[in-house]
Amino acid sequence: MHPSRIHLALPSRPDLPFPAIEGPRRLLATALWCAARGWAVFPLKAGRKIPAVEGWQQWATRDPAAIIGWWRSHPADNVGIACGPSDLLVLDLDAPRTASDRELLHGRDVLANLACQAGQPDPAGTFTVSTPGDEESEHRYFRQRPGQSLRSSVGTSRRGLGRLVDTRGNGGLVVAPGSVLDRRGQLQAYTVLRDLPAAPLPQWLADRLTPPPPPPIPVGAVPPAADPRVAAYVKAAVAGESRRVREAEVGGRHEAVLAAARSLGQLAANDWISDAAITEQLVDAARRHLDVDDFDWAELTTTIRDGIAYGRRWRRQIHPR
């Protein structure tokens, strides 16, 4: 049963202890526990970190009927937590991975140094999970405050917190404790280090992770069209391409922006819309992606410009009815 048809949700209990359950129903118990804590879950492939369903952000649910239905049929599937609908911002603190990182002890040391520079305590007093492996990496869970919708970031990106410190926010996922990874035939579990309620995200961290507003874009106008069909066509095309950009997933944003700009550039070749108007519309659609996993203002505007220029090589034709 798809959870979008279900409207029942468990009452939230942010301090509910992690269940000490073993056996075939362990991951079902984990999923129900997450839902009880207020976190929306979805299935991951057994022993892996890959979603087991398409459209996992829409699938994510707190409904016990949907959760029980899935994990009774797929008891080995890992449990994923959708950070956006769960109002979570998870800090992913890694151990050194390359020779250039060896001077750093751990991502948690980077975070502690950032807190010290901000004159704040190390934000360690929150729900924390140890990830599988010998590196002792950890996930620290924080509640985003009302009105916040911070997205994921990579350590050294423009809005990142620093090397070895990534974040998982709106649009991102985290693997729930109790889930296991298959490492060369050995199952290694995500384990709870600190079984505490998820603490509110410290304001100093939220400030560092909040992207600045992009520079203003000159407002462009759509030239009036003598043919009402052309005007309606342009309006529909702009709406469709803007939606394509808004709904793009991480890893496909550059291609989505480029394809949208190329398509609308074909309309600009007929003087049905200006380059400035295309840029304005696509920038507005892409705002949610800015400073997420290194997708920045320069890449966005350059991609739009190149797409429009390419699209202008071919005039769009509207065939008579």
Side-chain angles (χ1 to χ4, degrees), residues 146-169:
Q148 288 180 334
S149 186
L150 296 172
R151 295 179 64 81
S152 303
S153 69
V154 176
T156 54
S157 66
R158 186 164 58 137
R159 298 304 299 176
L161 294 175
R163 207 183 310 172
L164 306 180
V165 182
D166 297 339
T167 69
R168 300 290 176 263

Side-chain angles (χ1 to χ4, degrees), residues 249-292:
E249 298 287 346
V250 173
R253 296 168 302 187
H254 175 84
E255 290 76 10
V257 172
L258 186 62
R262 285 179 173 179
S263 178
L264 297 180
Q266 295 176 10
L267 307 184
N270 292 326
D271 292 328
W272 291 346
I273 186 172
S274 68
D275 291 7
I278 296 172
T279 304
E280 179 187 7
Q281 295 294 328
L282 295 185
V283 165
D284 185 64
R287 287 182 187 277
R288 63 187 293 267
H289 302 301
L290 285 171
D291 293 298
V292 177

Side-chain angles (χ1 to χ4, degrees), residues 56-122:
W56 58 267
Q57 294 187 74
Q58 291 72 39
W59 200 104
T61 183
R62 293 181 57 229
D63 170 32
I67 292 169
I68 291 170
W70 183 274
W71 269 275
R72 276 186 174 171
S73 300
H74 308 82
D77 277 1
N78 279 336
V79 180
I81 301 172
C83 295
S86 304
D87 295 324
L88 286 175
L89 192 288
V90 179
L91 299 185
D92 183 1
L93 308 177
D94 286 331
R97 291 169 289 194
T98 64
S100 62
D101 292 333
R102 294 306 176 193
E103 72 275 11
L104 302 174
L105 298 178
H106 197 282
R108 56 177 166 258
D109 302 304
V110 177
L111 181 63
N113 288 335
L114 289 174
C116 183
Q117 294 169 16
Q120 300 292 331
D122 182 9

Side-chain angles (χ1 to χ4, degrees), residues 166-245:
D166 297 339
T167 69
R168 300 290 176 263
N170 189 17
L173 66 90
V174 66
V175 182
S179 299
V180 295
L181 289 187
D182 188 340
R183 296 287 181 89
R184 297 180 180 177
Q186 290 188 338
L187 297 180
Q188 300 179 345
Y190 288 78
T191 58
V192 176
L193 286 179
R194 288 185 286 274
D195 198 356
L196 302 170
L201 181 66
Q203 189 59 49
W204 68 270
L205 274 173
D207 291 342
R208 287 193 65 117
L209 291 166
T210 301
I217 284 290
V219 177
V222 179
D227 187 343
R229 278 201 313 137
V230 171
Y233 185 89
V234 171
K235 182 178 179 180
V238 170
E241 297 302 336
S242 296
R243 183 169 57 252
R244 180 213 294 261
V245 171

